[in-house]
């Protein structure tokens, strides 16, 4: 199968974030970047599908400045065959703008399947995948936790709140991938070496106009320091009260 | 004066909580921009029109009902087309919906179809002159981003539970509309929907997790943890590596560096000391409660609320208290 | 020359020729391995041969079996002289050393031959008893192995007996030819003389039996585990396991090299030295008996690793070298279990050392404690083979226990094997007024020493207490030190131990860059893994620093009276110190922590567990196992903790944050409340003020 996977370069999710002086972005000093978690599941799904289903091609796409080339190489070190960078200085927050760039590039690519992560860690939008599918005019399944392809048709499972939905669809189609579906493989040194030689194309990104822009970024209010609220069963009523009023989880 | 369209999600013929939240948000927005109408669009199998009164109670001026036998199961394509068709025929300042699992499927499609900007997982909406300003959490809830949406219209997908559905009674005018496409023509077909109600809630999805560790002393005592989880109603049961290694609980219950990594709304650590490997699995939980008889236990450093005491004593008391608290809501 | 001489010369030539062909064959097989230079430090290597080899120092670690073997070995060496004499006599009947040596020396020589023959017989008798009656666990091999052993013992016994009988008959025939120094022979001669006053025939029979036994024995060697007779001293010479140089340093690896694969999956990827190790293994099982994984029920057996290497070489090498002696496929050179049962050449080539012989499970069970290497009497490096195969699994096939993937990813992204925010690294130091290197350099106040905290010490709650205790000690002693703070990240040792050389080199090189930027010369650390990595392995990548473990550092401070301690008499305290593998077997630091404890607690009684110092049992966390699940058998830390608790000690002391975690867990699991303290904490509690 010819599979396209759209990935994103995002900071490591364990980091503590600070807001940059511009107030409209995070401070990137000292942050480590890698393939976005959900996108890496999508890459793994693509690789596994092509491993199971005989010869195919997995192509990874990313929108962004030259820094994303490292991220594309990482995907190729996992096993993707080639990569395309849609170059732009800054990735817009506007998911539709990004979707337009991807759709313009993917159209006519002859892909059986286009995969995305459910959402990206940094923008947490969950927009690009579904919107790109719509622009390409292909069916889309969002947040798949299971995906199987056979005879030109796909079956996917999605989690609804408290239930699981099974859907079927024809190819070509787009699927956004949720966690739990596959564990992204750890690139072997062999893979890392091979990735250096795989083709990486750079083209300008044909972004749509950015109609959603960042006005400001703020850190959420400080989590109050944890405290021991009491001893023994006697402390239970106070705990209930705090869970209800302060933490609002009860 | 401008109108707003709300897609009110249903499962079968019943409105979902997120639909009412979306209507509430839409109502508040419309009132903030100087009045206008809230049009709620609901699509479902026959009988779904009965939701109109509920929608009206929460602020809908007009309820557009699209009934179709083919909507027994959720059909994203025909619903997307219907919303898009309506928004093409009638001008709206914004289209609201809940950013639920189905909302994720519908919202961005509608936006792409209509070439509108879209913002998702929104916790606050404000009108700011010609623009709409929204807030939403990003970076796994570590950063709050304020976004400005420009243009004559936009799609706003509200984060479930971020807005409280508030009554704002209007007499809703009910209009029947046709689905813009036949569900049978949809390419994505729903084969089945399996309710996950009975049986274990997955650790990755449970909003509440109650976990037990070696402080429980014996495998039989895990019943305390199970009872507490049952009292919460929507809780899953987890365990530390120490007790799964000893066979008290299955390996799939293990939370930690080499087990599951979870981030529920509430994590209750019972008899868990808080070794580095366990913390790695649950530190990003929204609220952490710890019960342990050792006040020096490292778990108390990461817990929001800690109780020092004998778990055999504290947990049953907590279970009873939780049951009561739940009963009164 | 009589006909018998000519005949013997013929037999001798044939035997020698056959043996030479076998030697050549085995050498050719061995040269399938990768090249490696072991020509350095000849004097140190010779010293090892004299101590480990000739003086049998490692053999004596088992006092009973050791004595037995020493007799046989020394006997063998001494009797070789006699063997040569006999073989020459076979061709030139009149030959004798008496022609070359002055009489007293010849008599001494004669005494030695007789004496050692007797000792060897006693030893062989005990060996038979041990193997057939006592059945020591570590000698458990398969039927073939037992048969081999019994054949050897019988042949050696036979050699001794025939030697003495020959001399005895000779004595009967011509008493003057056997001097009074040959006590035993003469005694036996007395008996024979009664049975056969003129044993002309017997003497020939025994002589020929003896000579043919020698030649048979010689040619049996290449087909038996007794090959070690020929290779062991050479192996000890060429080994690095007891020096020259620093022990326990993993092989350097050039990741830029244009090679087919990284690490070892089959015998030709190992070096010729690893293959020589295979030849030299006597299957004594001392390594496996000391292996913490094996004795808690895991599949791993260091002996099996080495024997499998030899088996695989014997399976593959004949094919690859086009060996025309392949028809003599040495079915006797066996070991643990059968060979892989390949019946066709294709099968042989499809097999490999990894998977067919040595499974992933065995390779990952290793804690790299070095007990196997410590015990091996012929200086085999079992750990080297395990490490090279781990490298292959990770670098070439990305095959490893899935639970360590988060550790790798975290190391790459966070600079620590756990998912903690790098920003939290120096939180323990808040309020302690400890400068970072950056701050100190800004003030142009170059610190004398860098205190390297390590990831455990920075993030683990229990280990943080050790860090704080040691920092307080440094302050109390007035040491001018700094920490790297948030500039510190893992040096990559866990990745290296787990086989991920690529990730390791990335992290290590970056660390060296940071250290060099600050012109760091001296580092003190409370973690033995950090200590070993930065002090002993960094030089491979160009990082050269003096690295001191905190136990040694504190001992020096105490020696120099730089720490004001309360010396009031407390209650007598019994304390058990658990030796860290990376301090102990890797770096021979056994006394410093004990001395430190004695100085800090004047009224302490240090009780040693049964397995202590260089026989100490690992806590189970080394070799990257801290990040892996232990699914089989008994938990290693439980085993060790039980042993420590059974000393009756009131406190357990450790010098490593990993040992701290494992032993503390073990104490809790045993429902005990014996406190576990780091030696820094013990000392800090005694600080005045």
């Amino acid at each position: 199968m010819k599979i396209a996977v759209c990935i994103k370069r995002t900071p490591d999710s364990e980091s503590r974030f600070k807001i940059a002086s511009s107030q409209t972005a995070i401070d990137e000093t000292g942050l480590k970047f890698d393939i976005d978690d959900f996108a890496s599941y999508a890459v793994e799904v693509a690789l596994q599908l092509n491993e199971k289903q005989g010869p195919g091609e997995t192509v990874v796409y990313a929108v962004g400045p030259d820094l994303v080339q490292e991220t594309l190489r990482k995907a190729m070190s996992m096993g993707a065959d080639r990569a395309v960078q849609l170059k732009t200085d800054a990735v817009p927050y506007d998911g539709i703008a990004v979707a337009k760039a991807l759709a313009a590039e993917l159209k006519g690519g002859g892909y059986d399947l286009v995969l995305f992560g459910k959402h990206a860690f940094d923008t947490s939008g969950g927009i690009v995948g579904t919107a790109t599918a719509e622009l390409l005019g292909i069916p889309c399944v969002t947040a798949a936790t299971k995906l199987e392809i056979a005879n030109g048709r796909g079956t996917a499972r999605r989690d609804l709140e408290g239930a699981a939905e099974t859907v079927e669809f024809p190819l070509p189609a787009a699927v956004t991938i949720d966690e739990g579906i596959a564990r992204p493989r750890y690139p072997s040194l062999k893979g890392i070496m091979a990735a250096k030689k795989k083709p990486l194309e750079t083209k300008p990104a044909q972004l749509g106009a950015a109609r959603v822009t960042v006005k400001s970024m703020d850190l959420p209010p400080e989590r109050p320091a944890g405290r021991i609220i009491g001893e023994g069963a006697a402390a239970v009523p106070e705990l209930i009260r705090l869970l209800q009023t302060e933490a609002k989880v009860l | 004066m401008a109108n707003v369209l709300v897609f009110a999600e249903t499962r079968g013929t019943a409105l979902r909580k997120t639909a009412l939240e979306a209507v509430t948000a839409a109502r508040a927005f419309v009132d903030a921009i100087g009045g206008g109408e809230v049009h709620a669009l609901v699509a479902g199998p026959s009988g779904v029109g009965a939701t109109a009164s509920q929608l009206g109670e929460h602020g809908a001026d007009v309820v557009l009902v699209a009934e179709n036998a083919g909507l027994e199961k959720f059909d994203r394509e025909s619903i997307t087309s219907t919303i898009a068709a309506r928004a093409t025929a009638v001008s709206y300042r914004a289209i609201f919906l809940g950013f639920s699992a189905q909302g994720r499927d519908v919202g961005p499609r509608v936006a792409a179809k209509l070439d509108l900007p879209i913002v998702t997982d929104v916790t606050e909406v404000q009108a700011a002159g010609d623009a709409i300003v929204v807030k939403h959490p990003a970076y796994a809830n570590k950063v709050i981003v304020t976004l400005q949406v420009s243009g004559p219209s936009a799609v706003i997908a509200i984060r479930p539970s971020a807005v409280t559905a508030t009554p704002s009674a209007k007499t809703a005018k009910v209009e029947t509309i046709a689905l813009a496409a036949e569900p049978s023509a949809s390419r994505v077909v729903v084969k089945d929907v399996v309710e996950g109600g009975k049986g274990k809630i997955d650790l990755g999805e449970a909003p509440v997790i109650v976990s037990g560790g070696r402080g429980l002393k014996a495998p039989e005592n895990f019943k305390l943890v199970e009872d507490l989880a049952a009292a919460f109603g929507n809780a899953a049961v987890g365990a530390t590596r120490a007790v799964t290694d000893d066979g008290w609980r299955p390996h799939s219950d293990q939370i930690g560096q080499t087990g599951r990594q979870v981030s529920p709304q509430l994590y209750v650590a019972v008899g868990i000391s808080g070794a580095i490997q366990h913390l790695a699995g649950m530190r990003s939980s929204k609220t952490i409660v710890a019960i342990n008889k050792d006040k020096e236990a490292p778990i108390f450093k990461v817990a929001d609320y800690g109780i020092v005491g004998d778990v055999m004593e504290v947990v049953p008391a907590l279970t009873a208290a939780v049951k009561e608290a739940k009963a009164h809501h | 020359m009589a006909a018998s001489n000519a005949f013997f010369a013929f037999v001798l030539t044939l035997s020698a020729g056959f043996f030479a062909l076998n030697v050549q064959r085995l050498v050719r097989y061995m040269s399938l391995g990768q090249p490696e230079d072991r020509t350095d430090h000849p004097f140190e290597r010779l010293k090892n041969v004299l101590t480990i080899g000739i003086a049998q120092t490692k053999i004596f670690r088992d006092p009973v079996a050791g004595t037995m073997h020493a007799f046989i070995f020394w006997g063998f060496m001494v009797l070789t002289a006699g063997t040569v004499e006999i073989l020459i006599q076979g061709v030139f009947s009149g030959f004798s050393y008496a022609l070359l040596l002055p009489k007293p020396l010849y008599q001494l020589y004669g005494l030695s031959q007789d004496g050692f023959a007797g000792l060897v017989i006693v030893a062989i008798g005990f060996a038979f008893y041990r193997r057939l009656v006592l059945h020591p666990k570590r000698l458990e091999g398969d039927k073939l192995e037992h048969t081999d052993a019994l054949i050897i013992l019988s042949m050696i016994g036979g050699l001794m007996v025939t030697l003495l009988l020959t001399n005895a008959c000779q004595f009967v025939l011509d008493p003057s030819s056997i001097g009074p120094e040959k006590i035993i022979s003469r005694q036996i001669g007395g008996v024979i003389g009664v049975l056969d006053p003129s044993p002309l025939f017997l003497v020939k029979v025994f002589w020929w039996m003896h000579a043919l036994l020698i030649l048979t024995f010689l040619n049996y060697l290449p087909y038996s585990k007794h090959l070690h007779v020929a290779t062991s001293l050479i192996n000890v010479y060429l080994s690095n396991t007891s020096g020259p140089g620093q022990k326990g340093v993993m092989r350097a690896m050039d990741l830029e090299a244009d090679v087919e694969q990284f690490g070892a999956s089959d015998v030709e990827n190992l070096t010729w030295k690893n293959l020589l190790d295979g030849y030299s293994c006597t299957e004594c099982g001392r390594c496996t008996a000391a292996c913490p994984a094996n004795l808690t029920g895991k599949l791993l057996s260091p002996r099996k690793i080495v024997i499998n290497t030899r088996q695989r070489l014997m399976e593959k090498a004949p094919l690859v070298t086009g060996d025309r002696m392949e028809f003599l496929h040495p079915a006797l050179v066996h070991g643990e279990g059968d060979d892989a049962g390949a019946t066709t050449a294709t099968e042989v080539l499809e097999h490999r050392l990894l998977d067919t012989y040595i499974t992933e499970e065995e390779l990952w069970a290793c804690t790299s404690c070095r007990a196997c290497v410590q015990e091996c009497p012929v200086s085999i490096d079992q750990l080297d083979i395990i490490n090279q195969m781990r490298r292959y699994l990770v670098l070439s096939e990305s095959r490893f226990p899935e639970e360590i993937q988060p550790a790798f990813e975290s190391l790459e992204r966070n600079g620590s094997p756990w998912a903690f925010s790098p920003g939290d690294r120096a939180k323990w130091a808040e309020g302690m007024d400890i400068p970072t290197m950056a701050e100190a350099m800004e003030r142009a106040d170059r610190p004398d020493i860098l205190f390297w905290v390590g990831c455990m010490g920075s993030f683990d709650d229990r280990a943080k207490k050790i860090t704080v205790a040691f920092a307080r000690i440094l302050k109390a002693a007035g040491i001018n030190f700094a920490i790297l703070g948030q500039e510190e990240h893992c040096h990559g040792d866990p990745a290296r131990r787990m086989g991920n050389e690529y990730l390791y080199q990335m992290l290590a090189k970056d660390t060296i860059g940071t250290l060099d930027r600050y012109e760091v010369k001296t580092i003190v650390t409370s973690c033995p893994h950090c200590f070993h990595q930065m002090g002993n392995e960094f030089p491979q990548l160009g990082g050269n620093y003096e690295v001191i473990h905190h136990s040694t550092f504190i001992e020096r401070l105490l020696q120099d009276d730089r720490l004001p301690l309360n010396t009031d008499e407390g209650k007598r305290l019994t304390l058990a110190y658990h030796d860290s593998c990376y301090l102990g077997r890797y770096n021979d630091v056994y006394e410093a922590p004990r001395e430190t404890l004695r100085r800090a607690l004047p009224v302490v009684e240090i009780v040693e567990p049964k397995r202590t110092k260089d026989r100490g049992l690992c806590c189970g966390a080394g070799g990257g196992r801290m990040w892996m699940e232990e699914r089989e058998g008994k938990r290693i830390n439980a085993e060790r903790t039980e042993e420590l608790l059974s000393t009756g000690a009131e406190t357990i002391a450790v010098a490593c944050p990993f040992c701290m975690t494992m032993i503390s867990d073990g104490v809790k699991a045993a429902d005990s409340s014996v406190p576990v303290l780091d030696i820094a904490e013990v000392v800090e509690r005694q600080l005045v003020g």
Side-chain angles (χ1 to χ4, degrees), chain B:
Chain B
M1 275 272 296
N3 299 337
V4 157
L5 179 64
V6 181
F7 168 60
E9 186 187 333
T10 54
R11 203 172 274 177
T13 51
L15 274 178
R16 301 215 53 229
K17 188 156 148 275
T18 187
L20 297 174
E21 291 165 3
V23 172
T24 302
R27 180 81 252 159
F29 178 71
V30 152
D31 292 339
I33 57 170
E37 286 185 346
V38 173
H39 294 193
L41 193 157
V42 68
S46 127
V48 77
T51 60
S53 53
Q54 229 186 333
L55 290 165
E57 277 159 27
H58 286 80
D61 298 288
V62 176
V63 177
L64 309 159
V65 180
E67 282 185 354
N68 190 305
L71 291 178
E72 283 293 340
K73 302 211 185 68
F74 189 80
D75 186 75
R76 63 223 74 222
E77 289 176 55
S78 59
I79 289 176
T80 302
S81 305
T82 309
I83 300 172
R86 176 70 189 186
T88 310
V90 178
S91 159
Y92 289 104
R93 181 64 186 89
I95 303 174
F96 279 65
L97 72 160
F99 198 50
S100 61
Q102 303 295 27
R104 284 173 182 275
D105 226 338
V106 170
R109 272 185 220 258
V110 168
K113 228 182 179 58
L114 298 170
D115 194 16
L116 293 179
I118 173 174
V119 281
T120 56
D121 218 24
V122 168
T123 51
E124 262 179 57
V125 188
Q126 265 162 27
D130 279 338
I132 305 178
V133 171
V134 303
K135 279 203 170 106
H136 93 131
Y139 297 91
N141 297 332
K142 295 191 201 185
V143 177
I144 310 285
V145 182
T146 308
L147 296 167
Q148 177 159 301
V149 191
S150 55
S153 187
V155 178
I156 318 272
I158 304 287
R159 181 184 175 94
S161 302
V163 171
T164 321
T166 322
S168 174
K170 302 273 176 216
T171 354
K173 200 176 107 203
V174 178
E175 249 182 67
T176 312
I177 60 169
L179 274 187
E182 269 303 310
S184 57
S186 295
R187 297 160 300 177
V188 179
V189 174
V190 178
K191 279 292 168 206
D192 60 54
V193 177
V194 175
E195 294 295 323
K198 293 191 178 49
K200 284 166 67 164
I201 304 177
D202 180 57
L203 282 172
E205 293 191 354
V208 180
I209 295 178
V210 184
S211 251
R214 195 166 255 125
L216 286 165
K217 291 271 185 275
E220 311 73 85
N221 296 336
F222 239 87
K223 182 149 191 331
L224 293 178
V225 172
E226 286 169 346
D227 287 344
L228 181 53
F232 277 107
N234 55 353
V237 173
T240 61
R241 179 170 160 175
V243 305
T244 57
D245 277 340
D246 282 354
W248 296 8
R249 306 293 298 183
H251 263 290
S252 50
D253 282 359
Q254 183 200 327
I255 292 175
Q257 172 103 27
T258 55
R260 300 289 298 274
Q261 271 123 44
V262 297
S263 54
Q265 293 292 305
L266 174 62
Y267 189 90
V268 184
V270 175
I272 294 176
S273 63
I276 201 177
Q277 295 100 320
H278 184 70
L279 295 188
M282 44 62 82
R283 272 169 90 250
S284 49
S285 308
K286 186 165 169 296
T287 304
I288 299 171
V289 171
I291 305 167
N292 194 300
K293 75 171 192 280
D294 176 11
K295 73 175 193 295
E296 297 292 327
I299 191 84
F300 287 121
K301 295 229 174 61
V302 299
D304 297 290
Y305 310 115
I307 297 184
V308 178
D310 186 350
V311 299
M312 307 294 291
E313 222 185 81
V314 177
V315 176
L318 182 57
T319 304
V322 168
K323 272 201 196 120
E324 223 201 288
K326 287 257 165 187
H328 286 178
H329 277 241

Side-chain angles (χ1 to χ4, degrees), chain C residues 23-42:
Chain C
V23 168
Q24 193 195 43
R25 176 173 66 92
L26 291 174
V27 169
R28 203 171 44 232
Y29 289 178
M30 204 172 85
S31 61
L32 282 179
Q34 297 299 309
E36 155 150 52
D37 185 2
R38 294 284 173 108
T39 60
D40 58 299
H41 298 95

Side-chain angles (χ1 to χ4, degrees), chain C residues 350-371:
Chain C
E350 274 171 11
H351 286 168
R352 46 181 197 174
L353 182 59
L354 177 62
D355 299 321
T356 320
Y357 285 87
I358 300 176
T359 61
E360 283 175 271
E361 195 185 330
E362 293 162 63
L363 293 170
W364 292 114
C366 175
T367 68
S368 75
C369 74
R370 235 170 166 263

